[in-house]
Amino acid sequence: MTIGSTSAAKRDGAAQYDAVIIGAGFSGMYQLHLLRDRLGLNARVIERGDGVGGTWYWNRYPGARCDSESHSYSYYFSDELLKEWEWSERYPQQPEIVRYLNFVADKLDLKRDIQFDTTVTGAVYDEKANLWRVSTDDGETVSAKYLITAVGCLSSANVPDIPGRDTFKGKWYHTGQWPHEGVDFTGKRVGQIGTGSTGIQAVPVIAETAKHLTVFQRTANYSIPAQNHPLSAEFKAWAKENIDEIRQTMRASTNGHPFLINERKVFDVSAEERRKIYEKAWEVGGLRFRASFNDLLLDKAANDTAADFLKSKIGEIVKDPVTAKNLAAIDHPFATKRPPIDTGYFEAYNRDNVSLVNLRDTPIVEITENGVKTTDGEYELDIIVFATGFDAMTGSLLKLGIVGRDGVTLNKAWEAGPRTYLGIQAAGFPNMFTITGPGSPSVLCNMPVAIEQHVEWVADCIETMEKDGIDRIEPTEEAVTGWVDHVNEVANATLLPQAGHSWYLGANVPGKPRVFMPYAGGMARFRGICDEVAEKGYEGFVLSRDNADSQAEAVNA
Ligand code: NA7
């Protein structure tokens, strides 16, 4: 265990806090700042890594870069922070994001209240004392009235249990648990399994040094060029001069990005005009492509026009016709899985040292001591890279060993899929808040925007509770059921559930319940709902106060 950047000592020997926050990424850091520096509470962050960064602390794989534009991938609660920090590229690379988060942590003096190198092993609600007892792998147990999980949506690595995996004599790595010292691919035969956002970023970079890279593709994927570039002095100045405007756009937009989705519909324009619009969007690059029309995720025929355009681009770029055909054999509507953006992904297949294996035609049978064996034969490898994604949204929460009222575990409560109200609380788990939890926009949004909204809502809620002497808050079962229904309803109004193999649905992890987890109703709408709930005295939640006999009495029923 280390606390802060230098100390290895226990913090004050104090075992009781107002709040324990799990995770020191974007969410946990901001939550600590608000609870400690705005509300004056005694808060401790517990973090598994030995530094801040959360998801970005772990995802150090080659080519790791954010898909949100850097000037929007920042905390917007402080103009001072925005003015002082300078991003170098349109899309920030992993090391720059970690540097940014360290800059914020140092500026706000957060590290002194972060306990690094410590894994939470259990969090049990003690009903009598109305405290969460949080135990860690160093044998310590601390208590807190409030438990806030800030564990990220994509932080629990999904390493597929392919038969024979552990017999492999070479080295294997998962992109989300990448060694800090890096991996040298020089002269090596590398196999990469997975072609999601991560795999698509990693391929061109690994190809630069590997002797040969074999990419094992199960589901073909769309990808749009990031058109990444260094930021000009003019742009940097513009971003600093227009903070309010950028903030306002991000808050008004469906996905929390600094651009709005165009109002026009696909069939409002001629085929020729549409082609021009797509060409222009391709040149601009990145997630802005998705904003070309407002019905891309609502109307399959409209979506097909974008899908066809993107597939035709693969054919134009990739020279080998069989490889091009396999890469373009995409079976889901555009953007119903997280749309990757890339730097030279399809182009990498024109290199002599890169080849593609279509696992739909020739599935993996096993991993042998020499490499990967498909139904077509064995591929001898020195290194296997698993770019196989995450047990997303719920994986990290369910690993915490959370036990709520009456000894009910979170795993039991969410057996058939996650059940929250506003993605922030689960019934039966009083005073536990899940930042960007399932049922909130989270991964469908530019994450810092979703995080700031949830963190601020929680801070306001706790402030109200402390001011009014409220002992606990938890949602009613009815509110949770209503919210789960609403989350399903808004997802079903879109094409999103049509990608049957998406991690949004939990479909990438064998045995995981198939439930559409993020809130697809848009960030702006979600913010409005959360604000209204608070304004109405936390409608859907029960706020209670203990009476003289320590019996809980609802105060807002
Ligand atoms: P993703 O998007 O879940 O992609 C994982 C990839 O790995 C995807 O192509 C999967 O194919 C493939 N995969 C997973 N398990 C296997 C097995 N057992 N065999 C073969 N292929 C497999 O994860 P990423 O890390 O790329 O991206 C996660 C998010 O991070 C991203 O969306 C951004 O929000 C940032 P499948 O599609 O399941 O057939």
Side-chain angles (χ1 to χ4, degrees):
M1 175 187 81
T2 53
I3 297 167
S5 48
T6 51
S7 164
K10 241 186 200 177
R11 186 187 181 284
D12 311 333
Q16 190 161 327
Y17 297 86
D18 297 312
V20 163
I21 300 160
I22 308 173
F26 264 97
S27 318
M29 284 171 49
Y30 185 32
Q31 193 73 75
L32 171 63
H33 174 57
L34 287 190
L35 295 188
R36 187 191 71 182
D37 303 332
R38 197 184 93 193
L39 271 56
L41 298 182
N42 183 11
R44 172 186 265 201
V45 177
I46 301 176
E47 165 58 51
R48 190 158 53 99
D50 70 1
V52 298
T55 302
W56 294 106
Y57 174 91
W58 300 103
N59 280 268
R60 292 163 186 261
Y61 60 87
R65 192 185 284 284
C66 184
D67 289 350
S68 292
E69 295 177 19
S70 55
H71 70 290
S72 68
Y73 203 71
S74 307
Y75 290 112
Y76 262 74
F77 68 83
S78 158
D79 285 16
E80 197 187 333
L81 289 176
L82 284 163
K83 285 189 178 148
E84 214 172 299
W85 180 258
E86 196 148 280
W87 293 107
S88 65
E89 293 177 278
R90 180 179 179 188
Y91 297 97
Q93 270 197 304
Q94 179 269 343
E96 193 169 21
I97 301 171
V98 172
R99 277 201 299 281
Y100 168 72
L101 288 169
N102 273 284
F103 151 76
V104 174
D106 292 338
K107 181 94 185 150
L108 302 178
D109 193 16
L110 298 177
K111 289 177 184 168
R112 67 185 156 93
D113 289 306
I114 303 175
Q115 179 178 326
F116 292 107
D117 272 331
T118 309
T119 301
V120 169
T121 51
V124 179
Y125 178 62
D126 176 342
E127 189 165 1
K128 220 161 158 204
N130 190 35
L131 287 173
W132 282 92
R133 312 272 186 207
V134 182
S135 45
T136 54
D137 62 348
D138 58 6
E140 195 187 6
T141 298
V142 297
S143 306
K145 177 174 174 184
Y146 303 105
L147 175 69
I148 297 149
T149 66
V151 292
C153 299
L154 297 161
S155 44
S156 181
N158 169 41
V159 184
D161 195 12
I162 298 171
R165 189 188 65 200
D166 297 329
T167 64
F168 181 55
K169 286 209 173 124
K171 299 246 185 248
W172 66 260
Y173 307 94
H174 185 280
T175 48
Q177 298 170 337
W178 204 255
H180 282 214
E181 63 280 12
V183 177
D184 184 5
F185 295 104
T186 314
K188 302 277 196 255
R189 297 163 303 172
V190 183
Q192 179 184 301
I193 302 177
T195 51
S197 297
T198 299
I200 281 175
Q201 288 183 335
V203 162
V205 184
I206 295 176
E208 278 170 21
T209 52
K211 182 174 176 204
H212 192 89
L213 172 63
T214 308
V215 182
F216 296 91
Q217 169 193 281
R218 187 163 70 181
T219 302
N221 221 334
Y222 302 95
S223 188
I224 294 159
Q227 312 288 17
N228 185 46
H229 52 73
L231 291 175
S232 65
E234 292 73 37
F235 182 87
K236 289 179 194 173
W238 173 85
K240 287 188 201 301
E241 280 156 20
N242 291 280
I243 290 171
D244 289 343
E245 198 187 324
I246 298 167
R247 184 190 291 117
Q248 212 173 329
T249 305
M250 294 197 301
R251 286 186 165 208
S253 79
T254 311
N255 303 104
H257 287 292
F259 51 86
L260 298 177
I261 293 178
N262 202 298
E263 291 292 315
R264 70 188 160 215
K265 288 189 171 18
V266 162
F267 297 110
D268 286 349
V269 301
S270 68
E272 193 190 341
E273 175 67 9
R274 198 155 52 236
R275 175 94 201 171
K276 277 190 199 150
I277 290 168
Y278 285 144
E279 283 290 358
K280 174 113 192 299
W282 177 270
E283 289 308 318
V284 171
L287 296 175
R288 287 175 190 255
F289 187 95
R290 200 172 41 173
S292 302
F293 295 99
N294 80 357
D295 53 349
L296 286 177
L297 269 175
L298 300 174
D299 175 355
K300 176 69 168 54
N303 190 292
D304 285 345
T305 65
D308 290 345
F309 173 85
L310 293 170
K311 288 176 190 172
S312 75
K313 283 290 179 192
I314 300 174
E316 283 172 28
I317 298 168
V318 180
K319 294 195 180 116
D320 175 58
V322 177
T323 306
K325 185 167 164 276
N326 284 327
L327 287 167
I330 307 172
D331 63 355
H332 52 280
F334 167 62
T336 53
K337 292 183 97 166
R338 174 66 152 68
I341 67 174
D342 70 273
T343 302
Y345 175 62
F346 294 120
E347 289 81 351
Y349 291 94
N350 292 334
R351 297 175 66 114
D352 292 339
N353 69 334
V354 178
S355 52
L356 181 75
V357 175
N358 183 345
L359 297 179
R360 288 283 168 89
D361 292 344
T362 56
I364 294 176
V365 179
E366 60 175 337
I367 293 178
T368 65
E369 56 181 52
N370 299 319
V372 170
K373 194 167 167 189
T374 69
T375 51
D376 197 32
E378 190 176 34
Y379 295 82
E380 291 196 4
L381 303 168
D382 304 306
I383 296 174
I384 299 175
V385 174
F386 287 100
T388 44
F390 303 90
D391 182 354
M393 307 212 57
T394 52
S396 299
L397 286 169
L398 296 176
K399 278 185 188 157
L400 293 173
I402 293 170
V403 184
R405 188 194 296 292
D406 302 326
V408 177
T409 64
L410 190 64
N411 300 54
K412 178 79 189 153
W414 287 6
E415 204 169 35
R419 291 177 52 76
T420 71
Y421 183 38
L422 308 177
I424 196 75
Q425 273 213 311
F429 299 83
N431 297 348
M432 181 182 94
F433 299 94
T434 49
I435 304 302
T436 62
S440 73
S442 56
V443 293
L444 295 179
C445 185
N446 177 25
M447 283 305 298
V449 174
I451 286 168
E452 283 192 335
Q453 184 270 340
H454 249 183
V455 165
E456 286 164 7
W457 193 93
V458 169
D460 291 348
C461 174
I462 290 178
E463 186 172 30
T464 302
M465 290 175 69
E466 292 300 299
K467 258 204 250 150
D468 296 350
I470 305 293
D471 291 301
R472 60 187 77 66
I473 180 169
E474 73 176 288
T476 64
E477 269 299 344
E478 297 71 48
V480 170
T481 300
W483 186 251
V484 170
D485 290 348
H486 177 61
V487 170
N488 281 321
E489 189 191 329
V490 292
N492 289 333
T494 72
L495 304 177
L496 284 162
Q498 290 196 15
H501 35 51
S502 111
W503 57 258
Y504 294 152
L505 271 172
N508 62 327
V509 176
K512 189 166 171 170
R514 304 266 168 124
V515 175
F516 195 85
M517 294 181 287
Y519 179 68
M523 189 61 219
R525 181 175 171 194
F526 179 76
R527 185 188 298 277
I529 295 172
C530 292
D531 288 350
E532 198 182 325
V533 164
E535 274 157 28
K536 289 186 173 166
Y538 294 94
E539 192 176 45
F541 292 91
V542 176
L543 277 65
S544 59
R545 213 177 270 140
D546 287 337
N547 63 24
D549 306 321
S550 284
Q551 296 294 311
E553 279 173 11
V555 294
N556 70 331

